């Protein structure tokens, strides 16, 4: 046997020792488990970053978001509109230097499609305190179905550096007690029928 | 070993008095200059780091916002690119020409490359300090830096690719001139994989920085998502050069310090080959919650094609300590499971640094990295402090510490100087390693509470709405700073030792090196046997490495626990998809 700075002479392709073989086997099995967990979660788990992804011109996204605000606006807070869209609807959240808009009022147990995009540079969507994080890229619409599972006031922190005012960029989502899941589902089908 | 000065290989180089290897004078000079500049870049990065931890520690909040982000850019570029690549250039000159007993094929190209790299690094630093590139290390388009920032990176990368080519050439030269027998040593093989990954990485670098340079001059447009995909082909792969280089250094130091053996050349080399094949796919780790890529792409790439590169690291994580255990057992430390470990040379910074690097990288870095690099778990990790928490225990507690450890052997063997401040040197790896672990684990836990990375003020003073973090976060940001400062002291100690040894150090007296003493690591005083033969060897080999089996068992248990706890945490958040 020799150290790793010695040139091995002759054929070094030799069978491994028992313990080495055992460890390589265990490690390989563990790697396969690690791999299998991800497809498994796509079928059985409730949290996946798949979403619906498409390119979008920032101007078009801003226009959609504007219509969304006009449709469901219920108030204003420090100049940022507050919207209360019905269960099942599409939400448009705009990230720009250095604000999130609008403020979202949601119902617990209801399902929405949350569209994320940025108008200028990359931003990071980080929902506090439950710690859900997504990358927000200009020119891309990231549409994720979300179902809030608890009431409360949530903060949306920007966690991608976006310039000198990055640390000032905080938005808000408020989740209130909703109707029963059944009526929320009915509402969804109603919206879809319209 | 005693034929001291007679054997100087006049006009060509010298013969190493410890290992017997022939050292070409050009290789020696190139190793020296690259190592020295690496330490200078490291110093710049450390000073920036002190500013950063003292700012994120909200109780101190030292820097104004603009300087926080500026020093963040300085820290990233100088540590992750300049320090580490200059050091790796030195590693390539060592693992190629020195270990293979050959000359540097075209030394002039080596000097040209060095010049380009220094010029590029200086350009980048000047532009950042002038406030013209507050874009952080990742410089995500369309954040815009001065064109010279991108040009500086390009020049640096061209230099690095030239050195990589020189390394490949030295393999050809050594083979043709028959300067070694058999196959290249494992350390050289590992360095070869690092060099191949470097070539892949630097091509990605060219593919992104050249268009971005043109974009900064308003010549062409760039898609922000495409930038992220290609940039991470550089950004993450460059960290994999570090992994391969670091593992090579572990093997090297194992041999030099305690006569660690290679249990099986086939297994170790196959593991290195897995790095080459799969590791570049890891750029996906940064894109798991991105809008531009689908689930199949994410799952396949983030797992390096079914975790085959993780398998490689888990193999090295066994073979390196097992090789050390076997080497120690061959030296007679055969009692129980752990005599080999208890009686290891813990006062030799070359050994302690290497072993700490192995534990910190594998145990803390590997487990956190694989977990947060899982497609869905990344939802609760992306861009939080969990991410820098992870990579400070891989690239800093792992790679940087391994490079520090090898420095304690490079100083006497290449610079031919005694290690200065020997008492400090003996504790330096512990200071640095423990500090980094405290800092990185604090970051990891703070990140689990949702604390963002790269953020000047998490009290959100002046923001539209306030955010109250969990009370634990205050404490964690404090321990992060204390760990960070401890690591900074360890880092400054390293710099002081390196500078004093190189420029003011005592010359090693080769005729009396065997006496050891202050400034002479024990592996230099008496190099352990590097090759063993005979029946006794076979007997030890059969007995195996029972101690290492226990260590890897503990490792795997913690890995499984941490991994599934994270799935549990994920399952509790909003349904999202």
């Amino acid at each position: 046997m020799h150290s790793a700075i010695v040139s091995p002479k002759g054929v070094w392709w030799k069978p491994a020792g028992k313990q080495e073989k055992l460890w390589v086997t265990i490690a390989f099995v563990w790697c396969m488990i690690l791999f299998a967990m991800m497809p498994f979660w796509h079928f059985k788990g409730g949290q996946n970053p798949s979403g619906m992804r498409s390119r979008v011109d920032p101007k078009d996204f801003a226009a959609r978001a504007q219509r969304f605000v006009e449709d469901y606006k219920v108030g204003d807070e420090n100049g940022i509109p507050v919207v209360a869209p019905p269960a099942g609807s599409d939400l448009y959240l705009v990230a720009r230097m250095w604000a999130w808009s609008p403020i979202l009022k949601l119902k617990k147990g209801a399902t929405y499609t949350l569209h994320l995009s940025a108008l200028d540079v990359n931003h990071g969507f980080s929902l506090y305190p439950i710690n859900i994080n997504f990358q927000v890229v200009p020119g891309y619409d990231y549409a994720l179905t979300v179902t809030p599972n608890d009431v409360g006031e949530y903060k949306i922190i920007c966690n991608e550096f976006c310039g000198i005012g990055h640390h000032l960029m905080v938005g808000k989502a408020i989740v209130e007690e909703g109707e029963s899941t059944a009526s929320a589902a009915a509402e969804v089908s109603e919206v879809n029928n319209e | 070993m005693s034929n001291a000065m007679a054997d100087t290989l006049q006009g060509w180089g010298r013969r190493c008095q410890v290992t017997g290897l022939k050292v070409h004078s050009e290789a020696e000079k190139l190793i020296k200059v690259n190592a020295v500049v690496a330490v200078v870049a490291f110093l710049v990065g450390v000073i920036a780091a002190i500013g950063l931890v003292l700012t994120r520690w909200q109780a101190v909040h030292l820097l104004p916002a603009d300087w926080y982000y500026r020093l963040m850019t300085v820290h990233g570029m100088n540590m992750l690119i300049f320090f580490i690549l200059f050091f790796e250039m030195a590693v390539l000159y060592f693992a190629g020409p020195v270990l293979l007993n050959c000359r540097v094929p075209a030394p002039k190209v080596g000097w040209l490359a060095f010049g380009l790299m220094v010029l590029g690094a200086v350009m980048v630093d000047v532009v950042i300090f002038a406030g013209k590139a507050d874009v952080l290390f990742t410089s995500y388009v369309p954040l815009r830096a001065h064109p010279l920032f991108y040009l500086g990176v390009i020049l640096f990368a061209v230099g690095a690719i030239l050195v990589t080519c020189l390394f490949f050439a030295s393999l050809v030269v050594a083979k043709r001139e028959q300067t070694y027998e058999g196959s290249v040593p494992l350390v050289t093989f590992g360095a070869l994989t690092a060099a191949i990954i470097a070539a892949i990485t630097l091509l990605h670098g060219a593919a992104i920085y050249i268009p971005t340079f043109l974009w900064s001059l308003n010549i062409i447009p760039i898609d922000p998502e495409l930038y992220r995909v290609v940039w991470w082909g550089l950004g993450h792969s460059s960290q994999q050069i570090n992994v391969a280089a670091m593992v090579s250094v572990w093997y090297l130091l194992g041999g030099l310090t305690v006569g660690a053996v290679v249990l099986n050349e086939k297994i170790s080399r196959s593991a290195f080959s897995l790095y080459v094949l799969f590791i570049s796919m890891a750029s996906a780790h940064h894109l798991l919650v991105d809008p531009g890529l689908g689930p199949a792409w994410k799952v396949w790439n983030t797992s390096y094609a079914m975790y085959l590169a993780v398998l490689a690291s888990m193999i090295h994580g066994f073979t390196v300590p097992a090789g050390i255990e076997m080497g120690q057992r061959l030296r007679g430390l055969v009692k129980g499971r752990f005599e080999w470990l208890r009686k290891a040379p813990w006062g030799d910074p070359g050994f302690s640094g290497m072993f700490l690097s192995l534990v910190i990288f594998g145990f803390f870095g590997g487990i956190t990295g694989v977990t947060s690099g899982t497609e869905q778990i990344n939802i609760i990790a992306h861009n939080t402090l969990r991410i820098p928490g992870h990579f400070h225990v891989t690239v800093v507690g792992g790679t940087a510490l391994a490079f520090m450890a090898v420095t304690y052997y490079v100083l006497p063997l290449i610079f031919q100087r005694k290690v200065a401040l020997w008492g400090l040197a003996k504790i330096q790896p512990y200071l640095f390693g423990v500090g980094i672990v405290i800092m990185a684990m604090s970051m990891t836990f703070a990140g689990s509470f949702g604390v963002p990375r790269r953020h000047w003020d998490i009290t959100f003073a002046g923001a539209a709405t306030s955010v109250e973090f969990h009370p634990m976060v205050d404490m964690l940001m404090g321990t992060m700073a204390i760990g960070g400062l401890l690591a900074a002291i360890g880092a400054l100690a390293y710099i002081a030792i390196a500078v004093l040894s190189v420029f003011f150090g005592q010359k090693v007296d080769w005729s009396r090196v065997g006496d050891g003493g202050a400034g002479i690591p024990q592996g230099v005083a008496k190099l352990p046997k590097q090759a063993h033969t005979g029946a006794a060897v076979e007997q030890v080999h059969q007995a195996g490495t029972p101690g290492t089996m226990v260590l890897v068992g503990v490792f795997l248990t913690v890995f499984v626990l941490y991994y599934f706890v994270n799935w549990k945490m994920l399952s509790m958040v909003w349904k999202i998809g």
Side-chain angles (χ1 to χ4, degrees):
Chain A
M1 298 189 89
H2 55 265
S3 82
I5 60 170
V6 175
S7 296
K9 296 177 185 64
V11 178
W12 44 259
W13 191 267
K14 291 177 187 157
K18 250 190 291 182
Q19 287 167 335
E20 253 184 312
K21 270 190 193 153
L22 176 66
W23 176 249
V24 173
T25 310
I26 292 171
F28 182 76
V29 170
W30 175 236
C31 288
M32 291 306 112
I33 294 171
L34 290 174
F35 182 73
M37 275 307 289
M38 292 188 287
F40 168 77
W41 204 260
H42 273 282
F43 291 109
K44 293 286 179 192
Q47 297 79 13
N48 286 289
S50 314
M52 285 163 286
R53 306 162 313 276
S54 52
R55 282 178 194 266
V56 65
D57 190 294
K59 277 194 227 88
D60 295 340
F61 191 84
R64 280 177 222 172
Q66 186 55 37
R67 260 196 62 189
F68 167 64
V69 168
E70 282 162 12
D71 286 351
Y72 304 118
K73 186 169 169 180
V74 294
D76 238 300
E77 208 180 295
N78 301 324
I80 296 174
V82 182
V83 295
S89 51
D90 280 5
L91 318 172
Y92 291 86
L93 186 66
V94 173
R96 62 149 76 86
M97 292 174 177
W98 290 288
W100 298 94
S101 178
I103 293 170
L104 302 168
K105 271 198 163 170
L106 309 174
K107 298 284 187 207
K108 180 183 166 185
T111 299
Y112 305 86
T113 304
L114 172 63
H115 294 260
L116 299 170
S117 194
L119 302 188
D120 36 43
V121 298
N122 274 266
H123 295 279
F125 172 90
S126 179
L127 193 66
Y128 182 82
I130 55 170
N131 198 16
I132 289 180
N133 305 279
F134 289 93
Q135 186 76 21
V136 186
V137 182
Y140 287 81
D141 177 357
Y142 205 168
L144 298 150
T145 49
V146 297
T147 314
N149 63 2
D150 207 356
V151 297
E153 187 176 294
Y154 297 86
K155 301 295 162 67
I156 300 164
I157 299 170
C158 178
N159 69 3
E160 182 62 77
F161 175 69
C162 56
I164 188 72
H166 168 49
H167 52 274
L168 297 173
M169 188 168 165
V170 192
K172 204 155 56 170
I174 299 150
V175 179
E176 294 168 333
E177 204 61 60
E179 305 91 293
S180 72
T181 323
S183 66
E187 217 171 326
V188 172
S189 62
E190 217 177 273
V191 169
N192 288 344
N193 290 340
E194 271 171 20
Chain B
M1 248 181 248
S2 52
N3 51 350
M5 292 301 129
D7 198 359
T8 49
L9 302 167
Q10 269 186 356
W12 191 90
R14 64 183 175 94
R15 187 174 292 280
C16 175
Q17 302 298 318
V18 174
T19 60
L21 291 164
K22 279 161 66 185
V23 185
H24 185 204
S25 58
E26 290 291 342
E28 185 170 301
K29 280 184 221 153
L30 284 163
I31 290 171
K32 284 181 179 175
V33 291
N34 278 285
V36 167
V37 177
V39 172
V40 173
F42 187 66
L43 176 63
V44 176
V46 171
I47 292 168
I50 294 171
L52 298 179
V53 289
L54 287 179
T55 304
R56 289 225 64 168
W57 191 4
Q58 293 282 162
V60 181
H61 208 54
L62 181 69
L63 298 169
D66 55 348
W67 273 98
Y68 170 77
Y69 295 121
R70 197 162 296 154
L71 288 188
M72 185 69 95
T73 314
V74 168
H75 180 65
M77 294 304 293
N78 282 278
M79 292 307 213
L80 280 172
I81 300 288
F82 304 148
F83 154 62
I84 222 140
L85 277 164
F86 273 117
F87 207 103
E88 277 159 1
M89 299 303 115
V91 169
L92 287 183
Y93 286 119
F94 174 78
V98 175
L99 280 185
L100 296 178
N101 278 305
C102 75
R103 60 193 169 85
V104 176
K108 279 186 185 147
V109 176
W111 289 103
L112 171 70
F114 176 71
L116 281 173
M117 290 174 73
V118 170
L119 177 64
V122 169
M123 265 169 77
V124 168
D125 273 341
V126 167
V127 173
I128 300 173
F129 275 107
K132 300 289 184 199
D134 295 336
V135 291
L136 305 195
F137 175 56
T138 43
S139 56
Y140 289 134
V141 164
L143 280 178
R144 195 178 280 268
H146 192 280
L148 286 180
F149 172 80
Y150 307 108
L151 188 62
V153 177
I154 293 168
L155 292 179
F156 183 87
V158 169
I161 209 158
L162 285 177
V163 179
T164 312
C165 292
L166 271 188
F167 172 77
F168 294 137
S170 70
L171 297 183
V172 176
V173 166
K175 187 89 193 162
R176 189 176 295 160
E177 297 176 1
Q178 297 177 342
T179 58
Y180 65 98
E181 274 180 71
S183 306
V184 297
L186 181 59
V187 171
T188 305
F189 188 84
L192 170 61
T193 62
I196 294 170
I197 297 167
I200 299 168
T201 300
L202 293 165
L203 289 175
H204 279 100
I208 196 59
Y209 274 101
I210 293 171
T212 307
F213 173 58
L214 297 176
W215 166 81
S216 73
L217 297 169
N218 294 316
I219 296 174
I220 57 165
I222 288 193
D223 181 88
E225 183 69 61
L226 190 67
Y227 176 92
R228 286 173 56 78
V229 176
V230 184
W231 191 88
W232 279 113
L234 162 81
H236 203 107
S237 308
S238 63
Q239 304 320 308
Q240 319 293 9
I241 310 172
N242 304 340
V243 173
M246 170 190 69
V247 175
S248 307
V249 166
W250 290 345
Y251 280 114
L252 169 68
L253 281 173
L256 292 179
T257 57
V258 294
V261 293
V262 183
L263 289 187
N264 186 295
E265 293 276 359
K266 174 180 76 176
I267 297 279
S268 293
R269 286 173 200 240
S270 301
F272 271 122
S273 305
L274 288 176
Y275 280 154
V276 174
L277 292 173
F278 299 111
I279 215 152
S280 299
M281 301 165 80
S283 70
H285 290 181
H286 305 267
L287 311 166
L288 293 173
V289 292
D290 264 43
L293 305 148
W297 187 92
K298 288 175 179 175
V299 168
W300 180 250
N301 283 284
T302 196
S303 68
Y304 317 87
M306 307 174 87
Y307 289 103
L308 294 177
V310 172
L311 178 66
S313 284
M314 286 179 76
I315 291 174
H316 291 305
F318 174 85
T319 57
V320 172
I324 293 168
E325 176 171 359
M326 188 74 74
Q328 290 277 69
R329 284 176 185 276
L330 287 166
R331 301 209 295 169
L333 301 168
V334 292
K335 262 189 250 149
R337 280 181 188 268
F338 289 113
E339 192 193 18
W340 64 275
L341 193 58
R342 264 198 328 274
K343 295 201 177 153
W346 295 106
D348 174 359
F351 178 84
S352 65
M354 177 268 292
F355 206 86
L356 285 171
S357 160
L358 170 67
V359 171
I360 294 172
F361 178 89
F363 198 84
F364 296 98
I367 292 174
T368 55
V370 171
T371 304
S372 54
T374 303
E375 190 203 9
Q376 294 92 344
I377 292 174
N378 193 248
I379 293 173
I380 55 171
H382 180 70
N383 271 359
T384 68
L385 269 183
R386 286 180 71 171
I387 305 306
H390 155 68
F391 68 71
H392 279 90
V393 269
T394 51
V395 74
V396 189
T399 307
L401 185 50
F403 288 179
M404 288 172 174
V406 80
T407 303
Y408 296 116
Y409 276 71
V410 169
L411 288 173
L413 294 178
I414 300 291
F415 287 88
Q416 305 191 64
R417 303 281 171 177
K418 287 188 180 179
V419 179
L421 307 175
W422 183 238
L424 185 62
K426 284 175 153 183
I427 58 164
Q428 187 275 333
Y430 298 97
L431 274 177
F432 188 74
V434 170
I436 281 296
V437 169
I438 293 173
M439 182 187 84
M441 288 300 105
S442 304
M443 286 169 131
T444 299
F445 291 118
S448 301
F449 285 105
V451 178
R453 67 186 288 200
R454 297 172 156 184
H455 200 283
W456 178 61
D457 181 17
I458 57 163
T459 65
F460 295 90
T465 170
S466 68
V467 180
E468 286 277 318
F469 277 105
H470 193 282
M472 270 292 279
V473 167
D474 275 341
M475 193 203 82
L476 288 168
M477 299 307 274
T479 51
M480 176 195 87
I482 290 164
L485 292 176
L486 194 59
I489 292 169
L492 292 173
Y494 165 75
I495 295 166
I497 293 162
V499 170
L500 286 178
S501 309
V502 168
F503 295 104
F504 309 100
Q506 247 182 307
K507 276 222 140 215
V508 174
D509 178 359
W510 289 114
S511 63
R512 299 188 51 199
V513 72
D515 303 346
I520 303 288
Q522 50 91 32
V524 174
K526 187 175 186 310
L527 184 71
K529 224 170 144 185
Q530 299 292 306
H532 306 264
T533 47
V537 175
E538 207 35 53
Q539 207 178 341
V540 174
H541 195 194
Q542 284 302 319
T545 53
T548 303
M549 289 308 280
V550 173
L551 298 182
V552 293
V554 172
F555 162 78
L556 188 64
T557 310
V558 175
F559 196 165
V560 172
L561 278 175
Y562 185 77
Y563 180 71
F564 283 110
V565 163
N566 270 275
W567 280 109
K568 179 68 192 162
M569 278 162 56
L570 176 71
S571 73
M572 297 191 302
V573 306
W574 294 7
K575 280 216 160 52
I576 195 157

